[in-house]
Amino acid sequence: MKDVIIVGAGLAGLSAGWRLRHFDTLVLEADTRVGGRIRSERRGNYWLNWGGHIFAGDGSSTDALLREVGVSAVAVPGTLQAMSMNGKLLKSGPIATYPLRIPMSLDARLATLKAGLKVVPAVLKYTGVVRSRKGESGAARQQRIYDFMNAQSFHDFIGDLPEDAAALFKTTVTRSAGDMDQISAGAGAGYFSLVLGIGQGLSRGIVGGPSTLTEALAASLGESVQLGATVHEVVQKPDSVIVRYRQHGVDHEVEARTAILATTADVTRRIAVTVPDDLRAALGTVKYGPHVSSAFLTNETGPRPWDDIYAIAAPKRSFAIALNHASIVRGTETVRQPGGSFMAFSPASLGQALLNKSDDEVTSTHLRDLDQVLGHDFASTVVEAKAERWEVASPYCFPGRAAVQPTLMRGASRVFLAGDYLGTLYTESSVTTGFSAAQNVTSIIATDRQSRRIVAVPSQRETA
Ligand SMILES: Cc1cc2nc3c(=O)[nH]c(=O)nc-3n(C[C@H](O)[C@H](O)[C@H](O)COP(=O)(O)OP(=O)(O)OC[C@H]3O[C@@H](n4cnc5c(N)ncnc54)[C@H](O)[C@@H]3O)c2cc1C
Protein backbone atom coordinates (compact mmCIF):
# COMPACT_ATOMS: atom_id res chain seq x y z
CA MET A 1 0.00 0.00 0.00
CA LYS A 2 1.26 3.50 -0.93
CA ASP A 3 1.50 6.19 1.74
CA VAL A 4 -0.17 8.81 -0.44
CA ILE A 5 -1.55 9.25 -3.94
CA ILE A 6 -1.61 12.80 -5.26
CA VAL A 7 -4.01 13.45 -8.12
CA GLY A 8 -2.85 16.32 -10.35
CA ALA A 9 0.71 17.56 -10.93
CA GLY A 10 -0.06 21.27 -11.06
CA LEU A 11 1.60 23.59 -8.56
CA ALA A 12 -0.68 22.44 -5.71
CA GLY A 13 -0.06 18.72 -6.26
CA LEU A 14 3.67 19.20 -6.80
CA SER A 15 4.03 21.38 -3.68
CA ALA A 16 2.37 18.63 -1.66
CA GLY A 17 4.53 16.01 -3.41
CA TRP A 18 7.69 17.96 -2.62
CA ARG A 19 6.91 17.95 1.12
CA LEU A 20 6.01 14.22 0.93
CA ARG A 21 8.90 13.15 -1.30
CA HIS A 22 10.46 10.95 1.39
CA PHE A 23 7.26 8.88 1.74
CA ASP A 24 6.00 6.22 -0.67
CA THR A 25 4.24 8.71 -2.95
CA LEU A 26 2.51 8.32 -6.33
CA VAL A 27 1.54 11.42 -8.34
CA LEU A 28 -1.02 10.81 -11.11
CA GLU A 29 -1.23 13.46 -13.82
CA ALA A 30 -3.70 13.25 -16.73
CA ASP A 31 -1.69 15.50 -19.06
CA THR A 32 1.53 14.64 -20.89
CA ARG A 33 3.44 17.28 -18.93
CA VAL A 34 3.49 18.54 -15.34
CA GLY A 35 2.65 22.10 -14.28
CA GLY A 36 -1.05 22.41 -15.10
CA ARG A 37 -1.79 26.11 -15.47
CA ILE A 38 1.92 26.94 -15.15
CA ARG A 39 3.44 26.63 -18.60
CA SER A 40 6.59 28.22 -19.98
CA GLU A 41 9.20 27.09 -22.51
CA ARG A 42 12.77 28.31 -22.68
CA ARG A 43 14.11 30.01 -25.82
CA GLY A 44 17.79 30.90 -25.32
CA ASN A 45 17.99 33.63 -22.63
CA TYR A 46 14.22 34.13 -22.82
CA TRP A 47 11.11 32.02 -22.31
CA LEU A 48 7.65 31.92 -23.79
CA ASN A 49 4.90 31.90 -21.19
CA TRP A 50 1.20 31.06 -21.38
CA GLY A 51 0.01 30.62 -17.79
CA GLY A 52 0.71 31.89 -14.25
CA HIS A 53 3.76 34.14 -14.29
CA ILE A 54 3.97 36.40 -11.23
CA PHE A 55 4.36 35.02 -7.74
CA ALA A 56 4.07 35.97 -4.07
CA GLY A 57 7.08 37.41 -2.25
CA ASP A 58 8.79 37.40 1.15
CA GLY A 59 7.16 35.38 3.90
CA SER A 60 4.76 33.57 1.54
CA SER A 61 4.40 29.80 1.07
CA THR A 62 5.71 30.29 -2.48
CA ASP A 63 8.81 31.97 -1.08
CA ALA A 64 9.36 29.01 1.27
CA LEU A 65 8.92 26.54 -1.60
CA LEU A 66 11.34 28.37 -3.91
CA ARG A 67 13.98 28.46 -1.18
CA GLU A 68 13.54 24.79 -0.30
CA VAL A 69 13.78 23.70 -3.93
CA GLY A 70 16.58 26.14 -4.80
CA VAL A 71 14.80 27.91 -7.65
CA SER A 72 15.51 31.67 -7.97
CA ALA A 73 12.80 34.28 -8.19
CA VAL A 74 13.37 38.02 -8.38
CA ALA A 75 11.27 41.10 -7.83
CA VAL A 76 10.09 41.94 -11.34
CA PRO A 77 12.25 44.92 -12.35
CA GLY A 78 9.85 46.53 -14.83
CA THR A 79 6.81 48.56 -13.83
CA LEU A 80 3.61 46.59 -13.21
CA GLN A 81 1.39 49.60 -13.77
CA ALA A 82 1.70 50.75 -17.39
CA MET A 83 -1.49 51.38 -19.32
CA SER A 84 -2.32 51.96 -22.96
CA MET A 85 -5.70 53.42 -23.89
CA ASN A 86 -7.10 55.58 -26.66
CA GLY A 87 -3.70 55.85 -28.31
CA LYS A 88 -1.68 56.85 -25.22
CA LEU A 89 0.83 54.70 -23.33
CA LEU A 90 1.41 55.73 -19.71
CA LYS A 91 4.20 54.05 -17.80
CA SER A 92 5.03 56.33 -14.91
CA GLY A 93 3.42 58.55 -12.32
CA PRO A 94 0.80 57.65 -9.71
CA ILE A 95 -1.87 55.35 -11.09
CA ALA A 96 -4.56 57.57 -9.55
CA THR A 97 -3.60 60.25 -12.10
CA TYR A 98 -4.19 57.96 -15.12
CA PRO A 99 -7.88 58.93 -15.52
CA LEU A 100 -6.69 62.55 -15.86
CA ARG A 101 -3.99 61.70 -18.41
CA ILE A 102 -5.73 59.17 -20.67
CA PRO A 103 -7.57 60.93 -23.53
CA MET A 104 -11.33 60.60 -22.86
CA SER A 105 -14.45 62.74 -22.72
CA LEU A 106 -15.10 64.99 -19.72
CA ASP A 107 -18.14 62.86 -18.83
CA ALA A 108 -16.07 59.66 -18.76
CA ARG A 109 -13.33 61.38 -16.76
CA LEU A 110 -15.76 62.63 -14.11
CA ALA A 111 -17.47 59.22 -13.93
CA THR A 112 -14.06 57.54 -13.47
CA LEU A 113 -13.13 59.90 -10.66
CA LYS A 114 -16.51 59.39 -8.97
CA ALA A 115 -16.22 55.60 -9.14
CA GLY A 116 -12.58 55.90 -8.02
CA LEU A 117 -13.76 57.66 -4.86
CA LYS A 118 -15.65 54.45 -4.01
CA VAL A 119 -12.97 52.02 -5.11
CA VAL A 120 -9.91 53.60 -3.45
CA PRO A 121 -11.31 53.40 0.12
CA ALA A 122 -12.44 49.80 -0.58
CA VAL A 123 -8.90 48.90 -1.73
CA LEU A 124 -7.43 50.48 1.41
CA LYS A 125 -9.95 48.63 3.58
CA TYR A 126 -9.09 45.38 1.80
CA THR A 127 -5.41 45.99 2.56
CA GLY A 128 -6.33 45.99 6.26
CA VAL A 129 -8.51 42.89 5.86
CA VAL A 130 -5.72 40.79 4.30
CA ARG A 131 -3.13 41.76 6.89
CA SER A 132 -2.26 38.75 9.08
CA ARG A 133 -3.27 39.09 12.72
CA LYS A 134 -1.21 37.75 15.56
CA GLY A 135 -2.10 34.19 16.50
CA GLU A 136 -4.74 33.64 13.82
CA SER A 137 -4.72 30.68 11.45
CA GLY A 138 -4.31 31.02 7.69
CA ALA A 139 -7.85 29.62 7.32
CA ALA A 140 -9.33 32.35 9.55
CA ARG A 141 -7.54 35.03 7.54
CA GLN A 142 -8.72 33.49 4.27
CA GLN A 143 -12.34 33.40 5.50
CA ARG A 144 -12.11 37.11 6.44
CA ILE A 145 -10.89 37.90 2.89
CA TYR A 146 -13.81 35.98 1.33
CA ASP A 147 -16.27 37.71 3.72
CA PHE A 148 -15.13 41.20 2.69
CA MET A 149 -17.88 42.93 0.63
CA ASN A 150 -19.14 39.55 -0.56
CA ALA A 151 -22.84 40.43 -0.85
CA GLN A 152 -22.79 42.34 -4.15
CA SER A 153 -20.97 42.30 -7.47
CA PHE A 154 -18.21 44.77 -8.34
CA HIS A 155 -20.46 46.13 -11.09
CA ASP A 156 -23.30 46.79 -8.62
CA PHE A 157 -20.79 48.45 -6.30
CA ILE A 158 -19.47 50.96 -8.85
CA GLY A 159 -22.69 51.29 -10.88
CA ASP A 160 -23.15 51.85 -14.63
CA LEU A 161 -20.37 53.92 -16.18
CA PRO A 162 -19.70 55.45 -19.62
CA GLU A 163 -17.68 53.09 -21.89
CA ASP A 164 -14.22 54.58 -21.31
CA ALA A 165 -14.69 54.79 -17.54
CA ALA A 166 -15.98 51.19 -17.34
CA ALA A 167 -13.08 50.00 -19.55
CA LEU A 168 -10.54 51.37 -17.07
CA PHE A 169 -11.95 49.30 -14.20
CA LYS A 170 -12.78 46.27 -16.32
CA THR A 171 -9.24 45.76 -17.55
CA THR A 172 -7.98 45.22 -14.00
CA VAL A 173 -10.92 43.44 -12.40
CA THR A 174 -11.43 40.92 -15.23
CA ARG A 175 -7.88 39.64 -14.89
CA SER A 176 -9.46 37.57 -12.12
CA ALA A 177 -11.19 35.66 -15.00
CA GLY A 178 -14.62 36.96 -13.87
CA ASP A 179 -16.42 39.92 -15.46
CA MET A 180 -17.39 42.94 -13.36
CA ASP A 181 -20.94 41.63 -12.85
CA GLN A 182 -19.64 38.16 -11.84
CA ILE A 183 -16.92 38.99 -9.32
CA SER A 184 -17.79 40.25 -5.81
CA ALA A 185 -17.15 43.88 -4.86
CA GLY A 186 -14.56 42.79 -2.27
CA ALA A 187 -12.72 40.59 -4.76
CA GLY A 188 -12.68 43.48 -7.25
CA ALA A 189 -11.10 45.72 -4.63
CA GLY A 190 -8.74 42.86 -3.80
CA TYR A 191 -7.69 42.55 -7.40
CA PHE A 192 -6.69 46.20 -7.50
CA SER A 193 -4.65 45.66 -4.35
CA LEU A 194 -3.06 42.54 -5.85
CA VAL A 195 -2.05 43.88 -9.23
CA LEU A 196 -0.98 47.24 -7.87
CA GLY A 197 1.25 45.50 -5.35
CA ILE A 198 -0.43 47.18 -2.37
CA GLY A 199 -0.04 45.10 0.78
CA GLN A 200 0.00 41.50 -0.48
CA GLY A 201 0.96 41.91 -4.13
CA LEU A 202 2.17 39.25 -6.50
CA SER A 203 5.44 40.74 -7.66
CA ARG A 204 8.09 38.08 -8.31
CA GLY A 205 9.16 36.39 -11.52
CA ILE A 206 10.92 33.02 -11.71
CA VAL A 207 14.29 33.21 -13.45
CA GLY A 208 14.17 31.01 -16.57
CA GLY A 209 10.35 30.93 -16.57
CA PRO A 210 7.69 29.51 -14.22
CA SER A 211 8.03 25.92 -15.48
CA THR A 212 11.54 25.96 -13.97
CA LEU A 213 9.81 25.53 -10.61
CA THR A 214 7.26 22.87 -11.58
CA GLU A 215 9.83 20.80 -13.50
CA ALA A 216 12.28 21.01 -10.58
CA LEU A 217 9.55 19.81 -8.20
CA ALA A 218 8.66 16.93 -10.54
CA ALA A 219 12.35 15.97 -10.89
CA SER A 220 12.60 15.62 -7.11
CA LEU A 221 9.79 13.06 -7.26
CA GLY A 222 11.34 11.08 -10.14
CA GLU A 223 9.33 8.06 -11.29
CA SER A 224 6.71 8.70 -8.62
CA VAL A 225 5.15 11.11 -11.13
CA GLN A 226 3.11 9.24 -13.72
CA LEU A 227 1.99 11.21 -16.80
CA GLY A 228 -1.00 10.40 -18.99
CA ALA A 229 -2.68 8.87 -15.92
CA THR A 230 -6.31 10.05 -15.72
CA VAL A 231 -7.99 9.37 -12.40
CA HIS A 232 -11.70 8.65 -12.63
CA GLU A 233 -12.60 7.52 -9.12
CA VAL A 234 -11.31 8.04 -5.58
CA VAL A 235 -13.03 5.92 -2.95
CA GLN A 236 -12.38 6.38 0.74
CA LYS A 237 -12.46 3.25 2.92
CA PRO A 238 -12.14 3.23 6.74
CA ASP A 239 -8.32 2.89 6.76
CA SER A 240 -7.28 3.56 3.19
CA VAL A 241 -8.19 5.16 -0.13
CA ILE A 242 -8.69 3.33 -3.46
CA VAL A 243 -7.77 5.31 -6.60
CA ARG A 244 -8.84 4.09 -10.05
CA TYR A 245 -7.14 5.52 -13.11
CA ARG A 246 -6.45 4.83 -16.77
CA GLN A 247 -2.98 5.15 -18.28
CA HIS A 248 -2.00 4.30 -21.88
CA GLY A 249 -5.34 2.54 -22.40
CA VAL A 250 -4.97 0.30 -19.33
CA ASP A 251 -7.13 0.54 -16.19
CA HIS A 252 -5.34 0.52 -12.84
CA GLU A 253 -6.43 0.40 -9.22
CA VAL A 254 -4.08 1.41 -6.44
CA GLU A 255 -4.53 1.63 -2.68
CA ALA A 256 -2.95 4.19 -0.36
CA ARG A 257 -3.24 5.28 3.25
CA THR A 258 -4.20 8.78 2.09
CA ALA A 259 -4.93 10.82 -1.03
CA ILE A 260 -4.59 14.46 -2.02
CA LEU A 261 -6.87 15.71 -4.76
CA ALA A 262 -5.03 18.63 -6.35
CA THR A 263 -7.35 18.98 -9.32
CA THR A 264 -9.71 21.85 -10.16
CA ALA A 265 -12.99 21.84 -8.17
CA ASP A 266 -15.07 20.44 -11.07
CA VAL A 267 -12.74 17.42 -11.48
CA THR A 268 -12.44 16.90 -7.71
CA ARG A 269 -16.24 16.86 -7.42
CA ARG A 270 -16.51 14.27 -10.21
CA ILE A 271 -13.85 11.83 -8.96
CA ALA A 272 -14.24 12.13 -5.16
CA VAL A 273 -17.28 9.89 -5.11
CA THR A 274 -17.34 9.22 -1.35
CA VAL A 275 -16.77 12.68 0.10
CA PRO A 276 -19.76 14.04 2.06
CA ASP A 277 -22.65 15.42 -0.02
CA ASP A 278 -22.34 18.96 1.35
CA LEU A 279 -18.66 19.05 0.34
CA ARG A 280 -19.47 17.81 -3.18
CA ALA A 281 -22.23 20.44 -3.38
CA ALA A 282 -19.77 23.15 -2.24
CA LEU A 283 -17.27 22.01 -4.90
CA GLY A 284 -20.05 22.43 -7.46
CA THR A 285 -20.47 26.12 -6.58
CA VAL A 286 -16.85 27.08 -7.38
CA LYS A 287 -16.76 29.27 -10.50
CA TYR A 288 -13.91 29.63 -13.00
CA GLY A 289 -13.53 31.92 -15.98
CA PRO A 290 -11.43 31.40 -19.13
CA HIS A 291 -8.11 32.87 -20.26
CA VAL A 292 -6.70 32.74 -23.78
CA SER A 293 -3.04 33.68 -24.07
CA SER A 294 -0.45 34.18 -26.82
CA ALA A 295 3.31 34.15 -26.40
CA PHE A 296 5.61 36.02 -28.81
CA LEU A 297 9.38 35.70 -29.20
CA THR A 298 11.07 38.72 -30.81
CA ASN A 299 14.46 39.39 -32.41
CA GLU A 300 15.05 43.11 -32.01
CA THR A 301 18.70 44.07 -31.87
CA GLY A 302 18.62 47.17 -29.67
CA PRO A 303 16.79 48.76 -26.72
CA ARG A 304 12.99 49.15 -26.89
CA PRO A 305 10.86 51.80 -25.14
CA TRP A 306 9.13 49.03 -23.12
CA ASP A 307 12.33 47.52 -21.71
CA ASP A 308 11.51 48.95 -18.26
CA ILE A 309 7.86 47.80 -18.31
CA TYR A 310 6.59 44.39 -17.13
CA ALA A 311 2.80 44.78 -17.41
CA ILE A 312 0.74 46.98 -19.71
CA ALA A 313 -3.01 47.10 -19.05
CA ALA A 314 -4.84 47.56 -22.32
CA PRO A 315 -8.50 48.60 -21.97
CA LYS A 316 -10.68 48.23 -25.09
CA ARG A 317 -8.32 45.70 -26.72
CA SER A 318 -8.69 41.96 -27.43
CA PHE A 319 -6.47 41.28 -24.40
CA ALA A 320 -6.63 42.89 -20.96
CA ILE A 321 -2.92 42.89 -20.35
CA ALA A 322 0.40 42.43 -22.13
CA LEU A 323 3.41 41.13 -20.21
CA ASN A 324 7.02 41.71 -21.08
CA HIS A 325 8.63 38.51 -19.79
CA ALA A 326 12.02 39.75 -20.98
CA SER A 327 11.83 42.40 -18.24
CA ILE A 328 13.38 39.87 -15.84
CA VAL A 329 16.29 39.32 -18.26
CA ARG A 330 16.66 43.10 -18.72
CA GLY A 331 17.09 43.42 -14.96
CA THR A 332 20.16 41.16 -14.99
CA GLU A 333 22.13 42.52 -17.96
CA THR A 334 24.66 45.33 -18.19
CA VAL A 335 24.43 45.56 -21.98
CA ARG A 336 21.06 45.20 -23.75
CA GLN A 337 21.08 41.77 -25.40
CA PRO A 338 19.15 41.16 -28.64
CA GLY A 339 15.65 39.68 -28.51
CA GLY A 340 12.63 39.68 -26.21
CA SER A 341 9.47 37.84 -25.15
CA PHE A 342 5.89 39.07 -24.71
CA MET A 343 2.62 37.51 -23.64
CA ALA A 344 -0.88 38.86 -24.19
CA PHE A 345 -3.84 37.39 -22.39
CA SER A 346 -7.58 37.70 -22.66
CA PRO A 347 -9.49 36.88 -19.50
CA ALA A 348 -13.24 36.43 -18.82
CA SER A 349 -15.50 37.54 -21.72
CA LEU A 350 -12.46 38.59 -23.78
CA GLY A 351 -11.17 35.02 -23.44
CA GLN A 352 -14.62 33.56 -24.12
CA ALA A 353 -14.64 35.39 -27.47
CA LEU A 354 -11.39 33.67 -28.49
CA LEU A 355 -11.83 30.18 -27.00
CA ASN A 356 -13.16 28.65 -30.22
CA LYS A 357 -10.88 30.51 -32.64
CA SER A 358 -7.97 28.78 -34.35
CA ASP A 359 -4.42 29.27 -33.05
CA ASP A 360 -3.63 31.53 -36.00
CA GLU A 361 -6.71 33.68 -35.37
CA VAL A 362 -5.82 34.03 -31.67
CA THR A 363 -2.18 35.01 -32.25
CA SER A 364 -2.99 37.34 -35.15
CA THR A 365 -5.78 39.07 -33.15
CA HIS A 366 -3.43 39.53 -30.19
CA LEU A 367 -0.51 40.60 -32.37
CA ARG A 368 -2.55 43.23 -34.21
CA ASP A 369 -3.51 44.87 -30.92
CA LEU A 370 -0.08 44.44 -29.35
CA ASP A 371 1.50 46.12 -32.37
CA GLN A 372 -0.83 49.10 -31.93
CA VAL A 373 -0.21 49.28 -28.17
CA LEU A 374 3.59 49.12 -28.46
CA GLY A 375 4.19 50.70 -31.88
CA HIS A 376 7.81 50.86 -33.11
CA ASP A 377 7.18 48.03 -35.63
CA PHE A 378 6.81 45.47 -32.86
CA ALA A 379 5.06 42.95 -35.14
CA SER A 380 7.95 42.91 -37.62
CA THR A 381 10.29 41.59 -34.89
CA VAL A 382 8.13 38.58 -33.95
CA VAL A 383 9.85 35.30 -34.87
CA GLU A 384 7.59 32.87 -33.02
CA ALA A 385 3.94 33.07 -31.93
CA LYS A 386 1.97 30.40 -30.08
CA ALA A 387 -1.48 30.40 -28.46
CA GLU A 388 -2.92 28.53 -25.47
CA ARG A 389 -6.55 28.28 -24.32
CA TRP A 390 -7.53 27.76 -20.70
CA GLU A 391 -11.25 27.12 -20.42
CA VAL A 392 -10.92 26.64 -16.66
CA ALA A 393 -8.31 29.34 -16.10
CA SER A 394 -8.81 30.91 -12.70
CA PRO A 395 -11.40 30.61 -9.94
CA TYR A 396 -13.06 33.91 -9.10
CA CYS A 397 -14.80 35.04 -5.93
CA PHE A 398 -18.48 35.65 -6.73
CA PRO A 399 -21.11 37.20 -4.43
CA GLY A 400 -21.96 34.51 -1.87
CA ARG A 401 -18.66 32.60 -2.27
CA ALA A 402 -17.73 33.21 1.41
CA ALA A 403 -20.56 30.97 2.65
CA VAL A 404 -19.14 27.75 1.12
CA GLN A 405 -15.56 28.26 2.35
CA PRO A 406 -15.97 26.48 5.73
CA THR A 407 -17.39 23.39 3.98
CA LEU A 408 -14.63 23.38 1.35
CA MET A 409 -11.95 23.57 4.04
CA ARG A 410 -13.31 20.63 6.03
CA GLY A 411 -12.02 17.89 3.71
CA ALA A 412 -12.61 14.22 4.46
CA SER A 413 -10.71 12.00 6.88
CA ARG A 414 -8.12 10.45 4.50
CA VAL A 415 -8.78 12.51 1.38
CA PHE A 416 -7.43 16.06 1.38
CA LEU A 417 -8.07 18.84 -1.11
CA ALA A 418 -5.57 21.30 -2.54
CA GLY A 419 -5.74 23.90 -5.30
CA ASP A 420 -6.09 27.59 -6.02
CA TYR A 421 -9.90 27.46 -5.73
CA LEU A 422 -9.54 27.11 -1.93
CA GLY A 423 -8.11 30.63 -1.62
CA THR A 424 -7.90 34.06 -3.21
CA LEU A 425 -4.21 34.21 -4.09
CA TYR A 426 -3.88 31.95 -7.15
CA THR A 427 -0.43 30.27 -7.17
CA GLU A 428 0.10 31.22 -3.53
CA SER A 429 -3.20 29.50 -2.61
CA SER A 430 -2.11 26.41 -4.58
CA VAL A 431 1.18 26.19 -2.67
CA THR A 432 -0.38 26.94 0.73
CA THR A 433 -3.13 24.32 0.30
CA GLY A 434 -0.61 21.81 -1.10
CA PHE A 435 1.57 22.30 1.98
CA SER A 436 -1.31 21.98 4.39
CA ALA A 437 -2.61 18.81 2.67
CA ALA A 438 0.93 17.39 2.96
CA GLN A 439 0.98 18.23 6.67
CA ASN A 440 -2.33 16.40 7.20
CA VAL A 441 -1.06 13.38 5.30
CA THR A 442 2.18 13.32 7.30
CA SER A 443 0.33 13.25 10.60
CA ILE A 444 -2.02 10.47 9.47
CA ILE A 445 0.92 8.37 8.24
CA ALA A 446 2.69 9.03 11.56
CA THR A 447 -0.37 7.83 13.47
CA ASP A 448 -0.74 4.75 11.24
CA ARG A 449 2.94 3.87 11.77
CA GLN A 450 2.67 4.25 15.53
CA SER A 451 -0.45 2.04 15.65
CA ARG A 452 1.37 -0.64 13.67
CA ARG A 453 4.27 -0.48 16.12
CA ILE A 454 1.89 -0.71 19.08
CA VAL A 455 0.35 -3.85 17.52
CA ALA A 456 3.89 -5.29 17.08
CA VAL A 457 4.97 -4.70 20.71
CA PRO A 458 2.94 -7.45 22.51
CA SER A 459 4.07 -10.11 20.03
CA GLN A 460 7.72 -9.14 20.68
CA ARG A 461 7.14 -9.47 24.42
CA GLU A 462 5.40 -12.80 23.93
CA THR A 463 8.42 -14.21 22.06
CA ALA A 464 10.97 -12.79 24.60
C1 LIG B 1 -3.09 32.84 -18.42
C2 LIG B 1 -2.99 32.68 -16.94
C3 LIG B 1 -2.31 33.63 -16.19
C4 LIG B 1 -2.21 33.50 -14.81
N1 LIG B 1 -1.47 34.40 -14.12
C5 LIG B 1 -1.21 34.19 -12.81
C6 LIG B 1 -0.26 34.98 -12.12
O1 LIG B 1 0.41 35.83 -12.71
N2 LIG B 1 -0.05 34.74 -10.80
C7 LIG B 1 -0.71 33.75 -10.14
O2 LIG B 1 -0.48 33.60 -8.94
N3 LIG B 1 -1.59 32.96 -10.78
C8 LIG B 1 -1.84 33.13 -12.10
N4 LIG B 1 -2.66 32.29 -12.77
C9 LIG B 1 -3.32 31.21 -12.02
C10 LIG B 1 -2.33 30.09 -11.71
O3 LIG B 1 -1.74 29.62 -12.90
C11 LIG B 1 -3.10 28.97 -11.00
O4 LIG B 1 -3.69 29.52 -9.83
C12 LIG B 1 -2.22 27.80 -10.55
O5 LIG B 1 -1.26 27.45 -11.52
C13 LIG B 1 -3.16 26.62 -10.26
O6 LIG B 1 -2.41 25.49 -9.84
P1 LIG B 1 -3.17 24.21 -9.27
O7 LIG B 1 -2.16 23.18 -9.01
O8 LIG B 1 -4.06 24.63 -8.17
O9 LIG B 1 -4.13 23.74 -10.48
P2 LIG B 1 -3.72 23.19 -11.93
O10 LIG B 1 -2.51 23.88 -12.41
O11 LIG B 1 -4.96 23.28 -12.76
O12 LIG B 1 -3.36 21.66 -11.67
C14 LIG B 1 -4.31 20.62 -11.73
C15 LIG B 1 -3.66 19.43 -12.43
O13 LIG B 1 -4.56 18.32 -12.37
C16 LIG B 1 -4.49 17.62 -13.61
N5 LIG B 1 -5.72 16.82 -13.75
C17 LIG B 1 -6.97 17.24 -14.08
N6 LIG B 1 -7.82 16.21 -14.09
C18 LIG B 1 -7.12 15.11 -13.74
C19 LIG B 1 -7.47 13.73 -13.55
N7 LIG B 1 -8.72 13.28 -13.72
N8 LIG B 1 -6.48 12.86 -13.20
C20 LIG B 1 -5.19 13.28 -13.01
N9 LIG B 1 -4.83 14.59 -13.17
C21 LIG B 1 -5.77 15.50 -13.52
C22 LIG B 1 -4.37 18.74 -14.63
O14 LIG B 1 -3.89 18.27 -15.86
C23 LIG B 1 -3.40 19.69 -13.91
O15 LIG B 1 -2.05 19.39 -14.22
C24 LIG B 1 -2.81 32.39 -14.15
C25 LIG B 1 -3.50 31.43 -14.90
C26 LIG B 1 -3.59 31.56 -16.28
C27 LIG B 1 -4.30 30.49 -17.06
Side-chain angles (χ1 to χ4, degrees):
M1 180 160 25
K2 296 271 168 204
D3 286 327
V4 57
I5 295 170
I6 298 171
V7 184
L11 190 57
L14 291 171
S15 303
W18 165 259
R19 289 269 171 107
L20 295 166
R21 65 196 182 284
H22 301 304
F23 291 102
D24 186 4
T25 301
L26 175 64
V27 182
L28 299 172
E29 167 54 51
D31 207 340
T32 50
R33 61 169 192 91
V34 300
R37 283 170 277 155
I38 300 291
R39 184 183 164 212
S40 65
E41 286 176 14
R42 191 83 189 229
R43 298 286 188 273
N45 284 339
Y46 301 102
W47 52 91
L48 297 179
N49 189 80
W50 295 270
H53 54 97
I54 191 157
F55 297 84
D58 280 346
S60 65
S61 303
T62 309
D63 184 41
L65 179 67
L66 287 159
R67 284 170 195 273
E68 288 170 28
V69 184
V71 167
S72 304
V74 292
V76 168
T79 177
L80 294 165
Q81 300 181 353
M83 178 177 280
S84 159
M85 184 168 151
N86 294 345
K88 187 148 187 184
L89 176 64
L90 300 176
K91 63 173 187 177
S92 58
I95 197 156
T97 64
Y98 285 13
L100 302 171
R101 295 157 65 203
I102 294 279
M104 62 169 85
S105 71
L106 184 61
D107 260 11
R109 216 181 286 289
L110 289 175
T112 307
L113 293 174
K114 206 168 148 205
L117 287 177
K118 284 185 181 175
V119 173
V120 170
V123 174
L124 294 175
K125 225 168 170 179
Y126 178 88
T127 310
V129 165
V130 291
R131 200 167 293 128
S132 300
R133 297 177 189 169
K134 211 174 162 202
E136 81 175 343
S137 68
R141 174 173 169 259
Q142 184 60 76
Q143 183 67 51
R144 187 172 65 243
I145 297 172
Y146 274 124
D147 286 337
F148 177 62
M149 295 173 70
N150 194 236
Q152 64 175 164
S153 71
F154 188 77
H155 176 267
D156 288 345
F157 173 58
I158 58 168
D160 285 330
L161 297 174
E163 190 199 354
D164 277 0
L168 273 172
F169 291 99
K170 186 177 163 193
T171 195
T172 295
V173 168
T174 57
R175 274 190 249 166
S176 66
D179 281 313
M180 294 211 288
D181 58 347
Q182 296 175 315
I183 184 171
S184 74
Y191 217 77
F192 274 96
S193 146
L194 199 64
V195 298
L196 302 182
I198 306 167
Q200 47 133 35
L202 299 173
S203 57
R204 273 195 188 166
I206 293 178
V207 178
S211 290
T212 311
L213 174 61
T214 45
E215 291 294 338
L217 290 168
S220 77
L221 290 157
E223 307 237 313
S224 305
V225 180
Q226 290 293 309
L227 298 177
T230 305
V231 172
H232 50 87
E233 197 168 67
V234 177
V235 180
Q236 180 166 312
K237 300 175 87 182
D239 296 317
S240 69
V241 182
I242 306 287
V243 175
R244 301 194 172 99
Y245 67 100
R246 196 170 171 80
Q247 188 182 31
H248 313 312
V250 180
D251 285 324
H252 300 264
E253 180 175 299
V254 55
E255 188 171 13
R257 292 179 211 295
T258 57
I260 295 175
L261 306 191
T263 40
T264 48
D266 50 328
V267 175
T268 301
R269 180 172 186 272
R270 177 159 44 80
I271 63 178
V273 291
T274 50
V275 300
D277 288 345
D278 60 342
L279 175 51
R280 295 192 74 220
L283 286 165
T285 66
V286 174
K287 292 185 181 17
Y288 293 84
H291 287 337
V292 174
S293 48
S294 293
F296 300 101
L297 190 72
T298 58
N299 70 352
E300 72 269 19
T301 50
R304 305 294 262 164
W306 49 83
D307 280 351
D308 58 351
I309 299 177
Y310 181 71
I312 307 174
K316 298 164 70 179
R317 297 284 179 184
S318 58
F319 53 83
I321 186 146
L323 299 152
N324 175 14
H325 290 297
S327 151
I328 294 165
V329 178
R330 301 283 88 92
T332 62
E333 59 193 12
T334 43
V335 177
R336 174 48 157 103
Q337 298 300 311
S341 168
F342 253 90
M343 166 187 174
F345 88 82
S346 308
S349 49
L350 291 177
Q352 201 65 48
L354 292 173
L355 268 183
N356 297 318
K357 305 274 186 210
S358 70
D359 283 8
D360 278 354
E361 283 174 302
V362 171
T363 52
S364 56
T365 304
H366 280 159
L367 186 55
R368 199 172 43 242
D369 274 341
L370 196 50
D371 197 41
Q372 288 175 11
V373 164
L374 297 174
H376 300 270
D377 274 339
F378 174 80
S380 68
T381 64
V382 171
V383 289
E384 187 179 348
K386 244 169 134 177
E388 175 71 282
R389 292 163 196 73
W390 309 93
E391 202 164 344
V392 175
S394 284
Y396 61 83
C397 174
F398 51 89
R401 168 66 179 80
V404 295
Q405 184 67 1
T407 311
L408 285 172
M409 292 308 287
R410 218 175 49 225
S413 63
R414 282 179 181 265
V415 175
F416 301 98
L417 310 186
D420 59 351
Y421 69 91
L422 296 167
T424 46
L425 266 178
Y426 308 94
T427 47
E428 172 65 4
S429 296
S430 300
V431 179
T432 304
T433 56
F435 279 178
S436 88
Q439 179 78 20
N440 277 317
V441 162
T442 305
S443 57
I444 289 203
I445 295 171
T447 307
D448 282 358
R449 287 186 174 184
Q450 285 171 30
S451 340
R452 269 178 309 189
R453 275 187 214 123
I454 290 163
V455 170
V457 169
S459 62
Q460 279 168 358
R461 280 208 198 107
E462 278 159 23
T463 54

